[in-house]
């Protein structure tokens, strides 16, 4: 009965979030950690970041994860909340989970390639510094700053994604500048010698 009640409460929260998401809301402060002016400021920063990246950015806080791990709560909130851009639902969600006392970042679509596990761990290390001082606005500010930084750095060469459920590995293929230059040189040489 408890599991059913927790699932019902979570789904109610997600349905409410999906309705608000349709209106453009991207900060869901269910734990009551932010002031109205902080939320307004974050909504503005997120809207600017979304325009730059052409991906979705969501911030969620909760005091009751419904018995879920922080990662499962974040993934489900994003997936069932109707977030993301494009066919792959590109974007990310930052969760401050007061129930499990944990912070997590959930990525979807192409954003999984920008934010590798190593980059996410690095982001969380910096974000936890603010959380230890209960500066939750600082946590979000650092999250947004690091997201833009890694987006600008681009997808790392040799980057791959391992799908735990299927065991499939997908590599990101890219051509480096010197490979492009070599291909151009070979094609020009071939064209001139013909």
């Amino acid at each position: 009965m408890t599991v059913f009640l927790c699932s019902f409460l979570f789904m109610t929260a997600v349905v409410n979030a999906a309705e608000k998401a349709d209106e453009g809301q991207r900060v869901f402060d269910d734990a009551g950690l932010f002031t109205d002016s902080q939320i307004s400021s974050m909504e503005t920063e997120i809207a600017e970041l979304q325009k730059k990246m052409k991906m979705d950015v969501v911030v969620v806080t909760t005091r009751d994860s419904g018995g879920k791990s922080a990662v499962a709560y974040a993934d489900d909130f994003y997936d069932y909340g109707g977030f993301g851009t494009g066919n792959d639902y590109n974007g990310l969600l930052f969760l401050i989970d007061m129930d499990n006392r944990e912070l997590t970042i959930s990525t979807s679509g192409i954003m999984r390639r920008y934010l590798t596990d190593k980059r996410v761990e690095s982001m969380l290390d910096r974000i936890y510094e603010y959380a230890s001082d209960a500066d939750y606005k600082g946590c979000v500010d650092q999250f947004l700053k690091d997201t833009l930084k890694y987006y600008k750095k681009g997808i790392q060469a040799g980057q791959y994604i391992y799908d735990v459920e299927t065991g499939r590995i997908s590599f990101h293929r890219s051509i480096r500048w010197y490979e492009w230059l070599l291909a151009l040189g070979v094609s020009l040489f071939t064209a001139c010698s013909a």
Side-chain angles (χ1 to χ4, degrees), residues 20-183:
K20 292 177 182 177
D22 288 342
E23 299 167 6
Q25 180 178 341
R26 289 299 180 262
V27 178
F28 301 89
D29 185 23
D30 298 335
L33 302 178
F34 309 118
T35 66
D36 289 342
S37 64
Q38 288 175 326
I39 291 172
S40 178
S41 170
M42 288 185 281
E43 288 283 2
T44 301
E45 292 173 45
I46 288 170
E48 290 172 11
L49 186 57
Q50 287 175 310
K51 286 179 189 173
K52 290 177 185 173
M53 298 190 319
K54 309 249 186 303
M55 289 186 237
D56 212 346
V57 180
V58 182
V59 173
V60 178
T61 70
T62 187
R63 288 202 186 279
D64 182 7
S65 63
K68 296 181 180 200
S69 70
V71 171
Y73 187 93
D75 289 347
D76 288 349
F77 196 97
Y78 190 90
D79 293 342
Y80 298 121
F83 301 105
T85 62
N87 293 336
D88 293 330
Y89 306 100
N90 303 313
L92 72 163
L93 180 144
F94 173 56
L95 172 67
I96 301 175
D97 181 351
M98 301 303 285
D99 187 12
N100 292 308
R101 309 299 292 169
E102 192 174 343
L103 307 173
T104 193
I105 297 171
S106 176
T107 57
S108 181
I110 193 71
M111 186 51 81
R112 295 182 318 162
R113 296 208 181 270
Y114 284 94
L115 293 184
T116 61
D117 289 344
K118 185 176 180 179
R119 286 179 172 181
V120 168
E121 287 173 26
S122 178
M123 289 172 71
L124 289 173
D125 286 345
R126 285 187 292 279
I127 293 168
Y128 266 110
E129 292 175 20
Y130 293 95
S132 64
D133 294 331
D135 179 3
Y136 301 111
K137 174 69 164 78
C139 291
V140 174
D141 290 342
Q142 187 65 51
F143 161 73
L144 296 173
K145 180 181 171 184
D146 284 348
T147 298
L148 181 59
K149 176 180 87 173
Y150 287 127
Y151 175 76
K152 285 182 175 180
K153 281 190 171 187
I155 299 171
Q156 294 176 309
Q159 193 271 335
Y160 66 92
I161 295 175
Y162 174 72
D163 187 332
V164 178
E165 294 176 9
T166 64
R168 188 173 156 247
I169 297 174
S170 90
F171 289 93
H172 176 72
R173 307 267 186 238
S174 63
I175 297 176
R176 294 183 178 91
W177 67 270
Y178 55 86
E179 294 171 326
W180 180 85
L181 195 58
L182 178 64

